[in-house]
Amino acid sequence: MSKFEISDRLTAITAAVQNWHSPTITGGQLFYLMQTVAPQLDFREVVGIRVGPGALTKFAETHLADTVKRIGNQGGDILYHIVGRGEPHRDIELAALWKNFVSPSSPLHLIVEVENQKLTSRATPASNDKGEVEIQKVSSQEHDEIRAKFVESLPAHDAAAMNENLREGASFTEWMAVMKERAPDATRKWGVFRRDHLSALFAERIEALNLDPATRDNLFAQAKAALRAANEKQREAKANAESSLPKNIAQKSGSVGQSSSLHAVRSLAHAAVDVMGYEELRSLRVPLGMIIDSLKA
């Protein structure tokens, strides 16, 4: 392929990336976008990596360096920021701060830098010498209490259906599965209920520090921004997952949600895999047990 042909296709790819609906894009989505707008471009040939991983990464670093910048990972895939589209690092930091607060098992500490009036997450605990204080993260017991309060808030028949089908000590995953099956109308209310109660806990934690009003209000504002950033990341992840599928598959996914047919779900999964490229297939997460069972079969 001539340099002119490569340049022409790079122009098309750059334009498509810059028009992407989100300020971030994963490696899998970038691959699909390239296949859509420049199907004749053999990026493996361009970077000299005919087989194996790393070809798309090298292509992005070499030929799209002014368009995308690697900022981390999303699941098992690389996450890029589209140059000129907002400030991704602060949004990622805020989203991670909220995730840390609501995750009892997180190894990170949630710190208030009183002098700087700043909330932050880090691996080291608060330093008394620097006037820092640590905010207690949401405990597993508090999560259980929020779920119990939610069930109590439901109509009697939904609450009864939940309680009758939940075993003692059920995990959050089991709890969600029971709700989706036995009280599906409640699932639409759960997200808002959970966010409101977690936000109230965050506010209580900050209030309990007895800081001066200006510092307290600043921390409140950061806590709200962290929640917004986390919600935005969640919406982006959902939109990115949907947009990475061809339109005919994305349209089918809406109808699958209305059906409990396992066959329909399997068909959708097969259709998605059939159109994935090598890099996308490498990023798929498959439980080890399923691989072992397939080998035995």
Side-chain angles (χ1 to χ4, degrees):
M1 181 174 288
S2 68
K3 291 184 178 180
F4 176 80
E5 290 175 316
I6 293 175
S7 176
D8 187 50
R9 285 160 176 75
L10 283 174
T11 300
I13 293 170
T14 299
V17 171
Q18 290 173 340
N19 287 322
W20 188 248
H21 61 80
S22 167
T24 58
I25 186 169
T26 66
Q29 291 160 352
L30 177 60
F31 173 82
Y32 178 72
L33 205 62
M34 289 166 55
Q35 292 293 100
T36 302
V37 302
Q40 297 83 14
L41 176 66
D42 186 346
F43 67 90
R44 287 187 169 277
E45 179 184 355
V46 173
V47 299
I49 301 178
R50 297 304 306 173
V51 296
L56 182 61
T57 302
K58 185 175 181 180
F59 181 84
E61 292 174 349
T62 305
H63 298 281
L64 299 174
D66 295 331
T67 306
V68 295
K69 300 292 183 183
R70 181 172 180 171
I71 57 174
N73 289 74
Q74 181 171 297
D77 205 350
I78 294 175
L79 183 66
Y80 296 96
H81 172 242
I82 300 173
V83 176
R85 300 279 294 277
E87 301 178 5
H89 295 291
R90 182 54 180 162
D91 289 344
I92 291 174
E93 179 184 348
L94 285 169
L97 189 153
W98 179 261
K99 184 176 181 181
N100 182 32
F101 172 66
V102 302
S103 303
S105 61
S106 172
L108 300 178
H109 298 268
L110 186 58
I111 308 296
V112 175
E113 298 177 359
V114 178
E115 185 177 348
N116 299 326
Q117 299 186 358
K118 181 182 178 182
L119 285 168
T120 187
S121 289
R122 68 180 191 220
T124 55
S127 170
N128 293 329
D129 294 339
K130 296 181 180 179
E132 299 174 341
V133 292
E134 188 157 339
I135 292 183
Q136 178 189 349
K137 291 178 288 190
V138 183
S139 67
S140 297
Q141 181 179 349
E142 286 172 320
H143 279 294
D144 292 342
E145 291 171 355
I146 291 174
R147 290 198 293 272
K149 289 178 181 178
F150 177 70
V151 174
E152 291 175 2
S153 73
L154 296 176
H157 62 282
D158 285 339
M162 290 284 291
N163 290 325
E164 290 170 2
N165 291 277
L166 276 172
R167 68 176 183 84
E168 185 176 353
S171 67
F172 175 67
T173 301
E174 293 172 319
W175 187 87
M176 285 295 298
V178 170
M179 180 170 63
K180 289 178 179 179
E181 180 179 356
R182 301 294 180 177
D185 291 341
T187 57
R188 293 192 296 270
K189 307 173 185 177
W190 165 241
V192 174
F193 186 95
R194 177 178 181 272
R195 285 194 298 271
D196 286 348
H197 281 70
L198 290 174
S199 297
L201 280 178
F202 210 151
E204 289 175 12
R205 302 281 208 267
I206 294 174
E207 192 73 46
L209 298 178
N210 295 319
L211 301 171
D212 65 85
T215 300
R216 181 197 59 200
D217 292 344
N218 198 341
L219 295 177
F220 280 153
Q222 290 176 59
K224 291 179 180 178
L227 174 58
R228 287 196 300 270
N231 290 338
E232 183 61 29
K233 285 295 174 186
Q234 189 175 32
R235 285 193 291 269
E236 283 182 11
K238 182 178 180 181
N240 288 344
E242 292 175 349
S243 62
S244 66
L245 295 175
K247 289 184 178 179
N248 62 323
I249 295 178
Q251 290 169 352
K252 290 179 183 179
S253 65
S255 61
V256 170
Q258 305 298 322
S259 170
S260 61
S261 170
L262 183 59
H263 175 73
V265 176
R266 283 197 179 117
S267 296
L268 175 61
H270 282 302
V273 170
D274 287 344
V275 297
M276 287 182 180
Y278 179 78
E279 296 289 341
E280 290 178 302
L281 289 171
R282 283 183 58 84
S283 70
L284 283 178
R285 291 182 175 183
V286 181
L288 180 59
M290 293 182 65
I291 296 175
I292 295 173
D293 291 343
S294 296
L295 291 173
K296 288 181 179 178

